[in-house]
Amino acid sequence: SQQGEEDPQALSIQEGENATMNCSYKTSINNLQWYRQNSGRGLVHLILIRSNEREKHSGRLRVTLDTSKKSSSLLITASRAADTASYFCALSEEKLVFGKGTKLTVNP
Amino acid sequence: GAGVSQSPSNKVTEKGKDVELRCDPISGHTALYWYRQSLGQGLEFLIYFQGNSAPDKSGLPSDRFSAERTGGSVSTLTIQRTQQEDSAVYLCASSPRRGKGHQPQHFGDGTRLSIL
């Protein structure tokens, strides 16, 4: 099964800036999910976007899905130091397949 | 605490020993997943349980790995004759059900396994 590829692998920004992370994949999917993982903790589900949806919002998070380009992006607006974490996209096929993640550091 | 609970949180053992890792899923969740996460890496799927169906064991890396889920609730992942390459964080997740479009998964904080 395919794995989403996140880009960039690491991102360092200042508090207040926006952070954009991308996920690309190769074949069709049922849905795509984004998760956050704080250091030493489990993953926390952020947003699920279905294959027939183009954009979803949740608080400061905005997720887009472009099925023609087979890519998704996660935008975190007005970032905070507490947003420092690794962010993973997960592709829904028969199983949920996780990428290797983007490590985001938000500097105070 | 209504979340997924894993125990122990840390386990250090000698090469060649057997280890058992436990997962208590969220009550009522019929789907349970085990993943392995090596340092700085993504999640590697190991095994999946759904209700009373036969588990999907396609991700288990070798026959030293096995898992069971008793009574549709608690699950135990067993690694026999541990090797150093088994050192990783083992994460458990549960979800209400598995449909065509996967439901969000709820994760425990994992067991950090270190093989000396």
Side-chain angles (χ1 to χ4, degrees):
Chain A
S1 53
Q2 66 175 327
Q3 181 181 49
E5 292 189 15
E6 288 98 339
D7 170 63
Q9 291 185 353
L11 180 60
S12 181
I13 59 174
Q14 296 300 123
E15 226 171 8
E17 294 180 339
N18 296 340
T20 300
M21 289 156 270
N22 303 295
C23 174
S24 59
Y25 57 94
K26 292 187 170 65
T27 63
S28 62
I29 55 174
N30 294 317
N31 65 52
L32 187 147
Q33 302 180 30
W34 285 92
Y35 287 79
R36 183 189 73 224
Q37 184 179 35
N38 290 85
S39 181
R41 304 298 299 273
L43 279 71
V44 174
H45 178 261
L46 296 176
I47 287 185
L48 181 155
I49 186 165
R50 303 193 187 283
S51 57
N52 61 353
E53 297 175 313
R54 293 295 167 259
E55 188 170 312
K56 284 189 88 167
H57 297 254
S58 176
R60 294 182 296 111
L61 306 181
R62 172 180 166 239
V63 167
T64 61
L65 179 64
D66 187 332
T67 52
S68 65
K69 294 181 179 177
K70 294 186 171 54
S71 69
S72 175
S73 67
L74 170 66
L75 168 67
I76 305 174
T77 60
S79 64
R80 305 167 182 168
D83 294 328
T84 294
S86 291
Y87 292 82
F88 295 88
C89 68
L91 309 178
S92 175
E93 299 178 311
E94 276 301 306
K95 298 188 243 303
L96 202 58
V97 182
F98 290 82
K100 293 186 177 181
T102 293
K103 187 170 183 178
L104 173 66
T105 302
V106 181
N107 301 299
Chain B
V4 176
S5 176
Q6 292 188 246
S7 61
S9 54
N10 285 281
K11 177 73 176 178
V12 180
T13 192
E14 293 179 347
K15 176 181 169 182
K17 301 282 189 185
D18 297 351
V19 294
E20 280 191 359
L21 313 179
R22 177 186 167 106
C23 173
D24 276 281
I26 292 173
S27 178
H29 280 192
T30 58
L32 186 148
Y33 308 78
W34 282 98
Y35 297 92
R36 179 168 70 176
Q37 186 177 32
S38 300
L39 187 64
Q41 297 296 308
L43 273 67
E44 175 190 4
F45 167 79
L46 297 178
I47 188 170
Y48 156 73
F49 296 90
Q50 171 59 47
N52 296 321
S53 303
D56 177 350
K57 303 179 182 181
S58 59
L60 295 179
S62 78
D63 59 8
R64 296 186 295 105
F65 287 72
S66 63
E68 62 178 26
R69 188 178 184 191
T70 53
S73 181
V74 172
S75 178
T76 303
L77 176 68
T78 301
I79 309 174
Q80 295 178 310
R81 305 180 303 281
T82 52
Q83 304 294 312
Q84 287 187 331
E85 61 262 28
D86 299 334
S87 296
V89 176
Y90 290 81
L91 291 161
C92 175
S94 69
S95 65
R97 68 181 188 278
R98 184 192 190 199
K100 194 75 172 172
H102 281 275
Q103 299 298 309
Q105 295 184 12
H106 301 259
F107 282 80
D109 284 337
T111 293
R112 184 174 300 276
L113 177 63
S114 299
I115 309 299
L116 303 179

